[in-house]
């Protein structure tokens, strides 16, 4: 049961990622793409966690923490860029 | 609290840090506790200068209740939004609402804005420079006034109580 | 202490650089003194190591006490000792020159300079392929920074090309490393050599691909024909003491090729392909660089092309393959490096006194110190053109003698014609600079004592190399013989049973504290 | 034994639910007509989805390895701190960039925009592609 | 040892004038003379033995590997040349002391002369072919300096350069020839080479050797068609011409031919080439000497002609011819030096060298006149001067030769013709200078007539001495010249030389008749000189020097064109070349690969992998395609970055995944910073063909790399990995093997790596110094920047995140040795958290709260790492040897401490310092500029 | 799987090289970044593609070859340092040369089209 659930979950996440990519590709505007990218980051957290479940290990867990913590920084940077131009004033 | 102030300027933060440390270390061995305590004291001291003076938490219990409420709302909101997404035939009625702010502290505004973003079909989009009001984008707007009222009652008031007075 | 002596060429400039990088005001005399002192120290260490290596002894230094092939091992043989000493000599001249004021045109000159030396010395010492990559990057990044010293349009434009090309080169380097590691399963050069010895079939084809890619990267650094176009502009744009130091940068590429081919890819199909490549592109480099020498309308690019000629000569000479050829090129190498360095410094001095005309080959105001500069220019020009009585001529003679059979048919005429081109171009330059001047006021600016010291230090080596040509040439002969005998290195490093199958067991013996 | 069955069921449920939430979040991003609406999906759906998966993971490891595994809370913490901020900033950016929204959208934004930007545009769009030039041109008078 | 002193004396002599020049001209000259005179004495001391046929040698090994020894010899030929060089040299030095104008730098001049003398003496004395070559090239260099002594004059510069290039080229050819000789003989020692004539002639390279050596000799001796540099070299001060073109420089070529006669001579090829070239030179130059108006030009052409004569004689090759050649070398040196000196005097006194402007000088300068008459007669070959003797011998030899087979009969006729011309120009010199009236043009007549008088005695004496010498030798050849000449010719042709009797009167014979005819015909020719000149003027002279200069110019232009074509300054081309080279080289390797797929089986695919591959492909191609929409390109790049780290997760490299992620964020910030300063949407400027080319190149290299990768992935190798896995815990004290490798096994790499990082920080600091920036006022769409400078929510979140991030980084740092993590990742986390502060609150605000100097942080990090490495020295272990131990403390329990952690701390600090240095400095630059932007 | 992996590396390399051959500094930088991804993956893959084999003792039964991982880590860092430098150099070049063309000669004129 667990395996099946895992697979379903993985498949859904993979599909979600694929949709993100699609949005990233078609845009139409920069914020759309940015949103897509950010969502990709978040979805990949799920991917890593699911992988950890699949392999029954927590070795890769810190990578997920890093994405959660740092992933948004680059999104912020681009937002700032779009809003203000230079990101460190 | 006073004598501790020098070493423990922000006890809440220190507590959070200690908890987080123990979470990460996955152990409550004395060594880890000691190290965690050291860090929980040291890091706030190091980063103290980066903190604008924060309003202290006045009602921890209310805070807990608030968190629970928000969590519940998140789940609810998500179910709603998911439903909206999965039933494409129903056209949503999006709209912008300007929400006049009563809270003034940056932290509370932030918390409010974040809460709004996380909960029912709303995303906070902009805050006026003078912090007087918040622009909210609503995914499916029925009644503007009701929404404002709901936010005020459900989120802003508790927040105000917890932090500001 | 003496067993640690070997790592000093890396540590001395590194620690020195750390001190120098602490914030001080520009042109601090203490900083200058320290920088010169560091160079002197390296010279002493280099001399000591040179003397040690001259005995033919191979010295290894296992970093972190991890034995090869598992840890990184530094290796000192005659070749690396020669290069170390050469670097130290060149660096001292450059630093002395820079102390006259070039170092204040931007920040951190001395620190970066020492880090550049770290990179150079490390590259010459290391016995590990990946470590070589790391040191390459150090020396490259330091060279980028030094190139930008003082700023300016020309430098930035040239620097952009130099940097981007070298970054692409670094990427290729890593690919090559990947292939070699993937195919051999080791990074230590000697270990790789011994594993290659036991390899057959398709694996060797892969190794060949990796080896050739590696050589492409080194050729980029050494500036061989299709890959040298960045050099003239870059070297001309660099500040004088830096350009002078750059004279050894191309030689790093050469060194790497020499090291890799003579140690790792000795009897593999790769060696043959490398030789062919080096031969033809070396010759073409001589030819085109000779043409470039003629075409140059400014002294700095002219020198750059002379550097290229020497690169082509050295590498074509390398591919002659014989011990004599290697002897010859090793004899020629220090001379050409030092003299090209000196020439850049002299060009700077000339440019200083010619006002706006700089080092362009046009009539300009009379030089303030015509006699002095003319004399310096004459000596260096004679040296660099490979004319007697300086060592360039002897080196060239040796190279020519080493060419045999059909090879000679290409090598001799090209070498001689390139010499002729140099002669024509340098005589033109000299007569423009020192004879054809406008009458009227003399340009201001005198050669400072530090500058003169730097130039003289470098130039003095030219007659010295002639005077001691006998001992030096026998040293280079010994070096060439040592290079031709990689087996000794392998057995010295791994003991007698140097078969790949047993190699994995070797690591067990050592202990860590 | 039943404990494990139930636990397994719970974990499986959470996993699937997480997957569905994440999926709908991304689907929303794909489906909605304008940027501001698209924003809603990821900020809520995906965040919650990840939350579910994390809880599942927490439970799973706690149960299988027989010790408390609550590290995942940390990720949740970070996520709950960062995700709304991202949403907010993105919305702000979208507002700033004059992104079109559905005509049926109620309410208005120009006031906010004016406050945000000052004037409406710097120059004609054609020129504005090269702001450096347009800037120089304006300096002349 | 005495032999070594001869060149050494002259060499040191070169220093004398430099130091004595301040004591006045006279003292300087006299002091300078000491060295050559001493050397001359040394030579003379050897003379008796040499005249007896002995060869004195001296050898000092120099560079045995090369076959180069410092070997000197004195035999007859050397003796002859040494005497000429030192003797005439001394006279000319003395003369030069009077010649130079008062304000000229006599010290430098005399020094050059002495250097040149050294080089010449070296050629004459070299007992080693390579040594000879060294000195040979030295004469080229020093002659360049001498000819260009008046460098402010353009003709001097041109003449000097031409001489250098022609003789230098000759020298290079000569080198090749000498090397070939050395190879044929097996040694460069002169004695062995001279004895190995047969071996050389038998060598298959003989024609080549001959061609190369003769090319060298001909260029030096100004033989046709390489003669053209010599007249141009007349731009030199006269003492230089006197020295270079009478006794030395040009004689070097002749000397070489004479010297190598035993080795190379005695073959048909040798004879024909020498005699033909000699004849042609002799005639051609004599003709031009007759037409020339410049006094020194006349002498230059006559020199060329006489050198041709000597070459011819060497070519004829019979013993007597060689004697004649040697004798004429001597004779020519004496009278030509005298003539040059007198021309110098005339030039000095009258200020012109135009033969047409001069005339009737006899009354004004009789002593000079006498000198010219004496030397000129010798040049014309009038009896009883020495020139007559050698010319008679030439006539005699020309009659008996058969070098040209059937055409040999032509030689006497041509020789006679040349002699006729020689008489004519000699007489012209004497006559028009001293007795005829000047042929002035109208403007010249308007100028005041020339006034001149004989110069001081010091200037006259050397010339007079030499002129008298030529008469004396003519009168008493046996006493004055025969021994020397005999000894010299003995040296030239081995031991078969007949001892010759030289005498003025040979009886009435054919040569005498030929002389007579030549003299009479010469007179007649002279009378028609004007007409001849007019005829010659009809044919526009294609001066070889012009041709040469034009050729050099054209070559330079062509070189310039080619260089500009190749180096068009386009980085794209250079990179394409790099790619192409790499492609070709790897292609060679791959071509040998038999099968691409190796023996290791393939692993199955799954959905995640396909997704990852799709993401990466999408990102890569997307960012390539959208490179003009830069922000989009950047977002695509970010996809790749994310997927790469996911790949690392998937393939069991947690450390890498974390590093990649954090580096990704920092890189992103950096690139966005860059985006702000670079145009955002540049135009498409390239052609379709260029795009196609790039696509092909890119795809090809991509394909090759993929093939390499595939081939590697499917093959087994035994790597050294097992060792690390085994030793990590017992040897390195950590369970995270990657980290143990980084900080321990290969800590040296890591040290280098953080050095690179620190360097990058410093380098960017350097770049940002005094940078002027372009700053847009609005974004891509033309919208002004938002006025929300520091969005509040961001600020609050940054504030909350900072302590948490620090905590995480401490955690990551501490666990690094045993679990994925380590100083590097921790450093990046800290750096990112701090950068977030900067982003949220601005530079100034953060700076105020974090008054750290990032360079100092980075440098101290590096210092800690180095110090950790050094500490192991204290225990007698190599640099970077690690130590670790498990400790037990009450209450805390067991914990581990390792020196590697200290090293890792260094890494941490270096990373934090360097990263912030890079980003913040860039950010700060904008801060400095921003206010201006805000004003409007 | 191996084939797919190699293919991806090939695509990354090709895209990187294509961008590297562009005339503006920004694409070149992006190209270098792509190239370094490709190179890092390449280097990484020389240790083999292993799932669930982190080189942490006690964590997995058959740990992967840790050496390439360490090398890639070094390479990533060095690549980052280099990217940082070249980015700032590009900015500087634009400031000095007035254009973001790698050869600096096309000038702003090119931008106005």
């Amino acid at each position: 049961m667990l395996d099946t659930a895992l697979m379903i979950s993985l498949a859904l996440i993979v599909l979600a990622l694929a949709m993100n990519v699609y949005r990233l590709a078609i845009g139409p505007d920069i914020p759309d793409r940015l949103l897509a990218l950010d969502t990709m980051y978040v979805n990949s957290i799920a991917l890593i966690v699911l992988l950890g479940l699949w392999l029954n290990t927590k070795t890769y867990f810190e990578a997920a923490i890093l994405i959660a913590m740092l992933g948004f920084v680059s999104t912020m940077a681009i937002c700032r860029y779009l809003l203000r131009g230079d990101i460190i004033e | 609290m006073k004598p501790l102030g020098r070493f423990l300027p922000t006890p809440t933060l220190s507590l959070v840090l200690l908890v987080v440390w123990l979470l990460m270390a996955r152990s409550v061995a004395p060594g880890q506790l000691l190290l965690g305590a050291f860090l929980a004291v040291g890091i706030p001291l190091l980063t103290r200068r980066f903190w604008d003076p924060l309003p202290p938490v006045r009602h921890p219990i209310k805070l807990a209740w608030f968190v629970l409420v928000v969590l519940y709302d998140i789940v609810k909101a998500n179910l709603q939004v998911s439903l909206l997404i999965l039933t494409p035939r129903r056209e949503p009625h999006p709209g912008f609402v300007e929400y006049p702010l009563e809270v003034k502290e940056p932290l509370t505004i932030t918390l409010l804005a974040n809460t709004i973003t996380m909960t029912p079909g709303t995303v906070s989009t902009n805050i006026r420079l003078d912090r007087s009001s918040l622009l909210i984008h609503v995914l499916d707007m029925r009644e503007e006034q009701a929404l404002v009222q709901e936010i005020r009652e459900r989120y802003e008031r508790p927040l105000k109580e917890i932090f500001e007075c | 202490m003496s067993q640690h002596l070997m790592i000093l060429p890396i540590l001395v400039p590194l620690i020195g650089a750390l001190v120098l990088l602490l914030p001080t005001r520009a042109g601090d005399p203490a900083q200058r003194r320290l920088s010169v002192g560091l160079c002197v120290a390296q010279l002493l260490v280099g001399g000591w190591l040179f003397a040690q290596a001259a005995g033919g002894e191979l010295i290894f230094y296992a970093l972190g006490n991890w034995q090869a092939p598992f840890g990184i091992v530094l290796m000192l043989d005659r070749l690396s000792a020669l290069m170390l000493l050469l670097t130290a000599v060149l660096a001292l001249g450059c630093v002395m020159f820079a102390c006259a004021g070039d170092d204040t045109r931007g920040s951190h000159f001395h620190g970066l300079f020492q880090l550049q030396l770290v990179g150079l010395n490390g590259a010459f010492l290391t016995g590990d392929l990946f470590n070589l990559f790391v040191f390459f990057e150090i020396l490259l990044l330091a060279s980028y920074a030094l190139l930008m010293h003082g700023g300016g349009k020309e430098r930035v434009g040239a620097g952009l090309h130099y940097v981007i090309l070298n970054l692409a080169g670094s990427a290729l380097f890593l690919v090559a490393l990947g292939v070699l590691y993937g195919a051999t399963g080791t990074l230590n050069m000697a270990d790789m050599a011994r594993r290659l010895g036991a390899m057959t079939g398709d694996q060797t084809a892969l190794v060949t691909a990796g080896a050739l890619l590696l050589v492409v990267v080194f050729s980029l650094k050494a500036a061989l024909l299709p890959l040298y176009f960045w050099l003239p502009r870059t070297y001309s744009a660099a500040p004088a003491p830096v350009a002078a130091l750059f004279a050894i940068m191309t030689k790093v590429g050469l060194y790497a090729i020499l090291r890799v081919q003579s140690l790792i890819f000795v009897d593999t199909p790769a060696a043959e392909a490398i030789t062919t490549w080096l031969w033809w592109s070396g010759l073409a480099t001589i030819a085109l660089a000779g043409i470039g020498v003629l075409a140059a309308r400014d002294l700095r690019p002219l020198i750059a092309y002379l550097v290229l000629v020497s690169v082509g000569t050295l590498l074509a000479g390398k591919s002659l393959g014989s011990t004599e050829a290697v002897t010859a090129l090793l004899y020629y190498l220090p001379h050409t490096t030092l003299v090209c360095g000196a020439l850049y410094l002299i060009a700077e001095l000339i440019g200083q006194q010619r006002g706006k005309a700089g080092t362009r080959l046009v009539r300009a105001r009379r030089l303030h110190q015509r006699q002095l500069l003319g004399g310096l220019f004459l000596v260096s020009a004679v040296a660099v053109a490979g004319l007697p009585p300086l060592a360039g001529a002897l080196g060239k003679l040796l190279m020519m003698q080493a060419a045999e059979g059909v090879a000679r048919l290409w090598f001799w005429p090209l070498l001689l014609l390139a010499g002729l081109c140099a002669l024509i171009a340098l005589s033109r330059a000299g007569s423009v600079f020192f004879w054809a001047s406008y009458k009227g006021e003399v340009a201001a600016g005198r050669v400072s004592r530090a500058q003169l010291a730097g130039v003289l230090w470098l130039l003095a080596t030219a007659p010295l190399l002639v005077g001691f040509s006998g001992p030096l040439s026998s040293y280079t002969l010994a070096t060439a013989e040592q290079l031709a005998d990689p087996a000794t290195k392998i057995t010295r490093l791994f003991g007698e049973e140097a078969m790949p199958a047993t190699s994995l067991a070797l690591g067990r013996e050592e202990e860590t504290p | 034994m039943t404990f494990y069955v139930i636990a397994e069921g719970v974990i499986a449920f959470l996993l699937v639910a997480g997957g569905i939430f994440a999926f709908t979040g991304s689907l929303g991003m794909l489906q909605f007509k304008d940027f501001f609406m698209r924003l809603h999906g990821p900020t809520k759906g995906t965040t919650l989805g990840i939350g579910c998966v994390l809880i599942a993971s927490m439970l799973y490891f706690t149960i299988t390895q027989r010790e408390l595994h609550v590290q995942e809370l940390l990720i949740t913490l970070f996520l709950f701190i960062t995700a709304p901020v991202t949403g907010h900033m993105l919305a702000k950016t979208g507002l700033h960039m004059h992104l079109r929204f559905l005509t049926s959208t109620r309410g208005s934004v120009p006031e906010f925009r004016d406050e945000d930007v000052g004037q409406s545009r710097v120059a004609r769009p054609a020129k504005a592609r090269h702001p450096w030039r347009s800037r120089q041109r304006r300096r002349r008078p | 040892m005495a032999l070594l002193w001869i060149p050494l004396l002259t060499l040191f002599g070169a220093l004398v004038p430099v130091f004595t020049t301040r004591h006045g001209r006279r003292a300087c000259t006299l002091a300078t003379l000491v060295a050559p005179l001493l050397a001359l004495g040394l030579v003379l001391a050897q003379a008796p033995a040499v005249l007896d046929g002995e060869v004195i040698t001296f050898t000092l090994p120099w560079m045995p590997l090369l076959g180069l020894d410092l070997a000197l010899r004195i035999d007859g030929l050397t003796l002859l040349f040494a005497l000429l060089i030192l003797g005439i040299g001394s006279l000319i030095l003395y003369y030069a002391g009077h010649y130079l104008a008062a304000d000229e730098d006599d010290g430098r001049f005399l020094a050059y002369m002495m250097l040149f003398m050294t080089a010449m003496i070296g050629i004459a004395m070299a007992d080693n072919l390579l040594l000879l070559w060294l000195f040979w090239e030295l004469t080229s260099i020093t002659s360049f300096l001498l000819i260009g002594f008046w460098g402010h004059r353009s003709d001097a510069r041109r003449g000097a350069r031409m001489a250098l290039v022609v003789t230098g080229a000759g020298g290079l050819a000569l080198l090749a020839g000498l090397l070939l000789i050395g190879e044929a003989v097996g040694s460069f020692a002169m004695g062995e080479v001279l004895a190995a004539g047969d071996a050389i002639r038998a060598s298959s390279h003989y024609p080549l050797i001959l061609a190369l050596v003769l090319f060298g000799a001909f260029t030096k001796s100004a033989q046709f068609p390489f003669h053209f540099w010599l007249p141009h070299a007349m731009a030199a001060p006269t003492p230089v011409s006197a020295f270079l073109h009478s006794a030395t420089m040009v004689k070097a070529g002749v000397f070489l031919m004479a010297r190598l006669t035993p080795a190379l001579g005695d073959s048909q090829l040798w004879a024909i080439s020498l005699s033909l070239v000699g004849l042609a030179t002799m005639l051609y130059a004599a003709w031009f000497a007759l037409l020339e108006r410049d006094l020194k030009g006349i002498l230059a052409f006559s020199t060329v002609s006489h050198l041709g004569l000597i070459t011819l004689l060497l070519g004829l090759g019979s013993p007597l011819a060689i004697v004649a050649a040697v004798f004429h070398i001597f004779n020519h040196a004496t009278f030509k030096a005298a003539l040059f000196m007198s021309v110098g005097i005339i030039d000095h006194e009258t200020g012109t060298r135009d033969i047409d402007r001069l005339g009737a000088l006899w009354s004004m300068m009789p002593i000079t006149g006498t000198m010219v008459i004496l030397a000129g007669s010798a040049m014309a070959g009038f009896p009883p001067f020495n020139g007559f003797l050698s010319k008679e011998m030439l006539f005699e030899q020309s009659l008996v030769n058969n070098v040209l087979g059937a055409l040999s009969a032509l030689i006497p006729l041509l020789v006679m013709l040349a002699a006729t011309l020689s008489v004519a120009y000699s007489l012209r010199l004497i006559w028009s200078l001293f007795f005829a009236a000047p042929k002035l043009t109208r403007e010249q007549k308007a100028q005041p007539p020339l006034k001149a008088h004989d110069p001081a005695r010091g200037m006259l004496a050397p010339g007079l001495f030499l002129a008298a010498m030529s008469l004396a030798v003519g009168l008493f050849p046996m006493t004055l010249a025969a021994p020397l000449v005999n000894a010299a010719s003995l040296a030239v042709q081995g031991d078969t030389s007949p001892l010759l009797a030289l005498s003025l009167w040979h009886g009435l014979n054919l040569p005498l008749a030929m002389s007579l005819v030549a003299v009479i015909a010469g007179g007649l020719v002279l009378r028609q000189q004007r007409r001849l000149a007019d005829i010659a003027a009809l044919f526009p002279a294609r001066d070889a020097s012009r041709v040469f200069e034009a050729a050099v110019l054209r070559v330079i232009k062509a070189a310039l064109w080619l260089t500009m074509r190749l180096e068009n300054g386009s980085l794209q081309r250079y990179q394409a070349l790099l790619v192409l080279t790499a492609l070709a080289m790897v292609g060679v390797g791959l071509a040998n690969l038999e099968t691409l797929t190796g023996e290791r089986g393939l692993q199955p695919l799954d959905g995640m992998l396909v997704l990852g591959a799709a993401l990466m492909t999408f990102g890569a191609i997307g960012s390539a395609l959208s490179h003009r929409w830069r922000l989009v390109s950047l977002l695509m790049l970010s996809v790749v970055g994310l997927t790469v780290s996911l790949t690392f997760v998937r393939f069991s490299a947690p450390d890498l995944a974390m590093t990649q992620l954090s580096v990704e964020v920092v890189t992103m910030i950096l690139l966005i910073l860059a985006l702000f300063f670079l145009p955002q949407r540049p135009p498409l400027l390239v052609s379709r063909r260029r795009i196609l080319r790039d696509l092909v190149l890119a795809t090809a290299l991509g394909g090759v790399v993929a093939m390499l990768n595939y081939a590697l992935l499917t093959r087994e190798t035994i790597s050294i990995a097992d060792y690390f896995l085994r030793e990590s815990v017992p040897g390195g004290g950590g369970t995270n093997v990657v980290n143990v490798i980084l900080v321990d096994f290969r800590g040296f790499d890591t040290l280098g790596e953080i050095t690179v990082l620190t360097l990058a920080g410093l380098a960017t600091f350097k770049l940002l110094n005094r940078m002027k920036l372009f700053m847009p006022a609005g974004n891509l769409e033309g919208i002004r920047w938002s006025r929300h400078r520091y969005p509040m929510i961001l600020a609050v979140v940054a504030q909350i995140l900072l302590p948490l991030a620090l905590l995480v980084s401490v955690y990551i740092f501490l666990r690094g040795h045993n679990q994925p993590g380590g100083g590097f990742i921790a450093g990046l986390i800290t750096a990112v958290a701090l950068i977030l502060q900067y982003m949220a609150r601005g530079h100034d605000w953060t700076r105020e709260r974090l008054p750290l100097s990032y360079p100092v942080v980075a440098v101290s990090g590096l210092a800690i790492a180095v110090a950790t490495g050094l500490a192991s020295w204290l225990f007698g272990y190599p640099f970077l040897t690690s130590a670790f131990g498990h400790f037990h403390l009450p209450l805390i329990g067991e914990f581990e401490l390792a020196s590697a952690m200290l090293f890792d701390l260094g890494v941490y600090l270096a990373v934090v310092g360097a990263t912030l240095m890079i980003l913040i400095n860039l950010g700060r630059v904008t801060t400095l500029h921003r206010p201006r932007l805000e004003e409007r | 799987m191996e084939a797919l992996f190699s293919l991806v590396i090939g695509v990354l390399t090709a895209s990187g090289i294509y961008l590297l051959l562009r005339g503006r500094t920004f694409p070149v930088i992006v190209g270098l970044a792509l190239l370094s991804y490709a190179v890092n993956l390449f280097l990484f893959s020389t240790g083999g593609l292993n799932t669930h084999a982190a080189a942490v003792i006690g964590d997995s039964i058959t740990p992967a070859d840790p050496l390439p991982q360490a090398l890639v880590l070094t390479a990533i860092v060095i690549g980052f340092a280099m990217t940082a430098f070249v980015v700032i150099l590009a900015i500087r070049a634009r400031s000095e040369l007035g254009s973001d063309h790698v050869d600096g000669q096309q000038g702003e004129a090119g931008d106005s089209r």
Side-chain angles (χ1 to χ4, degrees), chain F residues 68-80:
Chain F
Q69 296 190 18
L71 301 187
V72 172
L73 224 147
T74 308
I76 290 176
V77 179
I78 288 178
F80 164 66

Side-chain angles (χ1 to χ4, degrees), chain E residues 686-704:
Chain E
V686 287
S687 63
R688 212 162 269 236
R689 254 181 54 202
R690 167 63 71 82
I691 289 179
L692 195 68
R693 182 201 81 175
D694 292 349
L695 272 178
V696 169
L697 273 181
T699 318
L701 194 65
V704 163

